[in-house]
Amino acid sequence: MRDVRDVSKAVLQNKGHPLAIMQSTLDTLYREESGRILATLIRLLGDFDLAEDAMHDAFAVALERWAVDGVPSNPRAWLVSTGRFKAIDALRRRARFDASQDKIADELESSRPATDSDDGHLEDDRLRLIFTCCHPALPPEARTALTLREVCGLTTEEIARAFLISAAALAQRIVRAKARIREAHLPYQVPSQEELPERLNGVLQVIYLVFNEGYYASSGASLTRSDLSGEAIRLGRLLLELLPEPEVTGLLALMLLQESRRAARTTATGELILLEHQDRSLWNRGQIVEGVALVERALRSRRFGPYTLQAAIAAVHSEAADAASTDWPQIVALYNLLAQAEPSPVVELNRAVAVAMRDGPEAGLTLIDSLFERGALADYHLAHAARADLCRRLGRDTDARDSYERALSLARQEPERRFLEKRLQDLAEKK
């Protein structure tokens, strides 16, 4: 695929050149708006790959024209309109070899183009796109991969690392998903009110996966990616407007409450700070107030599920002045409910950590060891890190060292790796 960032590299080395100045403006616009622009072009053109090429063509044209004419009053609408015309031109060129492309170009040319007045209603194009990417006709793994690629803009390599598969295999997964959408004529639209409830869970899963990749990046030099978590929250708000169901409310509450801790989760140099050691004065009180109100609304409905229960746990944390004053019995009780609503080894692990805070590290360690004995979470670095911490608190330094080393061998995120290395260094200095 072409990329606007590959355009005019030689010219752009001159920082004072008008193209270089405009490139900086476009880089910012690309980061902030390319997802929305792409979603709108997919709606207008009906083809993922054609829309991607059209968007990059539009940014390339903008680089040249805006440096001379100035930035238009509505850059997004300009880029959408230019991309549409570029796609029509591309189809006309292809028509020399495939007559069917000429018919498609005619249809696109006769359709109403995007205008400045469309900008408000175009906001829901990404919601349409996520429902298309999460269509039940696609395999579950394809839904997530396609959404991360097309809605969130992650690279194939980033998604492949998150899925623990090769980039080539992930790319084929995305290609097959696009082909399935095209061949089955899956509609690019939000489902009807009758269809929405059964389609909702898959969409919630993908939105939360996107949030998690932003809140707790699966790999790389940074612990977080605020662009992704912010986009997931925006999508959550749009979905709540469309379908004010308790679990939609609960998911938005969960994301806001977790996001509220962002500023306290790392040092100025990017080092990891655990929840118990965070400066809670840095937590975003506005997000906490909004999140708590949302979770209370969802709980009152008595039709809530796993996202609302997780949000309730986050709300209990948000209301405590420090780790010692946290209502751990209530958190354990909520984890008990969550384990019934959505049983999983990860939920059991989190419950074990809460039990350790309520009843002491020995009680939590017994639960974690039982998970490992059942063969669960053997390759999950956070499980080994949790076990290491409980062993350290019990003075079992050899066991703690073994678990920290296992966690380090599995961790792919640099702040986490540095944290684990520091814990191992502290243990070594105790000898």
Side-chain angles (χ1 to χ4, degrees), residues 84-157:
R84 173 177 171 273
F85 285 120
K86 283 291 181 181
I88 291 171
D89 289 343
L91 290 171
R92 296 288 188 208
R93 289 193 298 271
R94 294 181 198 172
R96 289 178 292 176
F97 309 98
D98 182 355
S100 66
Q101 300 297 301
D102 208 26
K103 180 180 179 182
I104 297 172
D106 287 340
E107 292 173 353
L108 289 176
E109 201 160 34
S110 63
S111 63
R112 189 179 69 84
T115 64
D116 286 3
S117 62
D118 288 329
D119 200 49
H121 92 266
L122 292 181
E123 279 297 312
D124 65 355
D125 275 338
R126 299 192 83 182
L127 194 57
R128 293 190 184 99
L129 179 56
I130 199 171
F131 270 105
T132 302
C133 292
C134 297
H135 197 283
L138 302 175
E141 65 276 10
R143 298 175 209 167
T144 304
L146 192 61
T147 302
L148 289 173
R149 179 69 186 89
E150 302 301 332
V151 179
C152 305
L154 270 68
T155 67
T156 301
E157 290 74 18

Side-chain angles (χ1 to χ4, degrees), residues 148 152 154 158-159 161-163 206-220 222-229 232 262 412-413:
L148 289 173
C152 305
L154 270 68
E158 287 171 326
I159 305 168
R161 283 197 298 269
F163 285 173
V206 171
I207 292 176
Y208 193 44
L209 190 150
V210 172
F211 175 82
N212 276 333
E213 183 61 28
Y215 182 75
Y216 206 102
S218 58
S219 62
S222 176
L223 183 70
T224 64
R225 290 186 57 182
S226 59
D227 55 335
L228 289 182
S229 55
R262 174 182 294 279
R412 300 189 307 279
Q413 188 192 82

Side-chain angles (χ1 to χ4, degrees), residues 48 132 135-139 142 146 172-187:
F48 282 82
T132 302
H135 197 283
L138 302 175
L146 192 61
Q172 283 301 309
R173 184 178 293 179
I174 292 174
V175 167
R176 287 193 295 269
K178 290 178 179 178
R180 175 64 178 160
I181 290 172
R182 184 170 57 251
E183 292 163 4
H185 303 290
L186 299 184

Side-chain angles (χ1 to χ4, degrees), residues 349 351-353 355-357 359-369 390:
L349 172 65
R351 179 182 177 278
V353 172
V355 168
M357 297 301 293
D359 301 335
E362 188 69 52
L365 184 60
T366 298
L367 294 172
I368 291 177
D369 282 343
L390 295 180

